[in-house]
C-alpha cells in the first residue's frame, strides 16, 4: 500500500478544494512546494493527483458536482504534469522500451499518462499515444516501435469490447507481445474476459505495476 500520510491531509484537502474551483495557481503552488521539499514523483501521482481525481469522480457519481467541474479538474491536473516532467526525464535510461495507450473511445487518459511516466521513472523509454487510439494506428505503431510490452488503459467497462478488439488485433501482429491492462473499468470485477488471452496481465495498482517493471522494486512502507 502507498503511504497516504506522506502528504499531509490538510494539504491534500486544500489541493482538492482548489482543484474543484479550477484554481490552477494554488494547485501549482502546492505541487511545486512538494517538489521543492523533495517529494517523490510517484507519491505526488498516487497520493495527490490520483487521490484527488478519485474524489472528484466520487462527487460526480453522487451528483454533487457537474460534468463541467469534473472536466475542469481534469484539465487543471493535466497542466500540472509540466511541473513534474523535468524530474521525470532526468532519470538515466536503461535501454528498455514500452508503449502505453488507451482503448478506442476511452477519453480518460490521466491514469495511462501516470503509468507512462512511472515507466520513465524506472528508466524505460515509454511511448504514450494518449486517449482514443484507433486500433489500426496503434497496431502499426506496435510493429514500428517493437516495445517490450504494450500497456492498455480502460476506464469505462462499457468500452470493454474495444479493448478485446485491440488485444486480438495486436495479437495478430505480434503473437507473443506481453500486454498489460489497467484502469478503473475492472474495479468491480470482469477480469475473467481476459483469461482467453495468453500473456495478458491486469495490474490494479501502481505498486503491482512497478514490481512488473523492476523485480527488485519494493512497495513503499504503509
Amino acid at each position: 500500500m502507498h503511504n497516504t500520510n506522506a502528504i499531509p491531509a490538510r494539504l491534500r484537502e486544500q489541493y482538492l478544494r482548489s482543484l474543484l474551483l479550477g484554481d490552477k495557481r494554488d494547485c501549482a503552488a502546492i505541487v511545486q512546494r512538494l517538489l521543492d521539499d523533495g517529494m517523490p514523483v510517484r507519491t505526488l501521482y498516487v497520493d495527490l493527483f490520483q487521490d484527488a481525481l478519485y474524489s472528484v469522480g466520487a462527487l460526480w457519481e453522487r451528483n454533487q458536482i457537474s460534468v463541467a467541474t469534473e472536466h475542469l479538474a481534469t484539465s487543471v491536473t493535466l497542466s500540472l504534469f509540466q511541473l513534474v516532467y523535468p524530474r521525470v526525464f532526468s532519470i538515466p535510461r536503461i535501454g528498455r522500451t514500452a508503449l502505453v495507450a488507451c482503448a478506442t473511445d476511452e477519453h480518460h487518459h490521466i491514469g495511462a499518462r501516470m503509468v507512462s511516466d512511472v515507466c520513465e521513472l524506472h528508466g524505460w523509454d515509454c511511448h504514450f499515444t494518449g486517449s482514443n487510439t484507433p486500433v489500426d494506428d496503434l497496431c502499426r505503431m506496435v510493429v514500428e516501435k517493437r516495445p517490450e510490452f504494450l500497456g492498455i488503459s480502460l476506464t469505462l467497462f462499457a468500452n470493454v469490447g474495444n479493448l478485446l478488439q485491440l488485444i486480438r488485433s495486436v495479437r495478430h501482429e505480434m503473437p507473443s507481445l506481453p500486454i498489460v491492462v489497467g484502469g478503473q473499468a475492472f474495479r468491480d470485477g470482469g477480469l475473467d474476459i481476459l483469461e482467453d488471452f495468453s500473456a495478458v496481465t491486469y495490474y490494479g495498482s501502481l505498486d503491482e505495476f512497478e514490481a512488473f517493471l523492476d523485480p527488485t522494486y519494493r512497495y513503499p512502507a504503509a
Side-chain angles (χ1 to χ4, degrees), residues 31 49 85 130 160 192 205-206:
V31 171
F49 291 0
Y85 282 153
V160 71
D192 56 299
S205 72
L206 277 181

Side-chain angles (χ1 to χ4, degrees), residues 135-156:
V135 171
D136 290 345
D137 289 348
L138 184 58
C139 285
R140 279 193 290 270
M141 182 164 288
V142 166
V143 172
E144 175 189 340
K145 300 296 185 184
R146 296 281 167 176
E148 294 187 42
F149 74 88
L150 169 65
I152 308 172
S153 174
L154 190 74
T155 302
L156 301 176

Side-chain angles (χ1 to χ4, degrees), residues 7 11 27-41 44 48 83-84 86-87:
I7 299 176
L11 207 56
C27 288
I30 292 170
V31 171
Q32 191 61 60
R33 187 189 322 166
L34 291 168
L35 287 170
D36 292 343
D37 289 342
M39 186 65 64
V41 170
L44 279 173
L48 194 68
L83 298 175
V84 180
R87 182 91 62 85

Side-chain angles (χ1 to χ4, degrees), residues 16-219:
L16 177 58
R17 287 195 300 270
S18 296
L19 189 65
L20 290 169
L21 292 171
D23 188 340
K24 295 188 292 292
R25 290 180 181 274
D26 193 51
C27 288
I30 292 170
V31 171
Q32 191 61 60
R33 187 189 322 166
L34 291 168
L35 287 170
D36 292 343
D37 289 342
M39 186 65 64
V41 170
R42 63 103 51 213
T43 302
L44 279 173
Y45 281 4
V46 175
D47 294 343
L48 194 68
F49 291 0
Q50 178 178 278
D51 186 69
L53 288 174
Y54 280 178
S55 295
V56 170
L59 289 169
W60 175 78
E61 288 177 351
R62 296 196 298 267
N63 292 318
Q64 293 181 259
I65 62 172
S66 68
V67 172
T69 298
E70 189 241 356
H71 287 182
L72 181 61
T74 298
S75 176
V76 171
T77 304
L78 287 171
S79 71
L80 298 174
F81 279 90
Q82 301 304 318
L83 298 175
V84 180
Y85 282 153
R87 182 91 62 85
V88 171
F89 297 123
S90 68
I91 303 297
R93 304 293 88 190
I94 63 172
R96 306 187 72 178
T97 303
L99 176 60
V100 172
C102 297
T104 308
D105 293 332
E106 275 292 340
H107 298 279
H108 297 82
H109 65 277
I110 288 184
R113 182 185 290 261
M114 290 182 187
V115 166
S116 175
D117 289 354
V118 165
C119 290
E120 298 282 350
L121 287 168
H122 282 268
W124 290 62
D125 291 299
C126 188
H127 305 288
F128 175 57
T129 64
S131 61
N132 191 27
T133 307
V135 171
D136 290 345
D137 289 348
L138 184 58
C139 285
R140 279 193 290 270
M141 182 164 288
V142 166
V143 172
E144 175 189 340
K145 300 296 185 184
R146 296 281 167 176
E148 294 187 42
F149 74 88
L150 169 65
I152 308 172
S153 174
L154 190 74
T155 302
L156 301 176
F157 197 78
N159 291 325
V160 71
N162 295 335
L163 170 67
L164 299 180
Q165 179 189 358
L166 175 56
I167 293 174
R168 293 188 191 100
S169 298
V170 171
R171 276 284 168 269
H172 179 75
E173 298 292 342
M174 298 185 70
S176 61
L177 176 69
I179 296 176
V180 172
V181 176
Q184 288 291 290
F186 296 102
R187 63 182 176 180
D188 297 320
L191 288 172
D192 56 299
I193 64 170
L194 301 178
E195 294 175 357
D196 292 337
F197 301 97
S198 62
V200 175
T201 307
Y202 172 79
Y203 292 110
S205 72
L206 277 181
D207 284 335
E208 295 175 2
F209 177 67
E210 287 182 275
F212 159 75
L213 287 178
D214 178 5
T216 67
Y217 172 77
R218 295 294 178 265
Y219 288 21

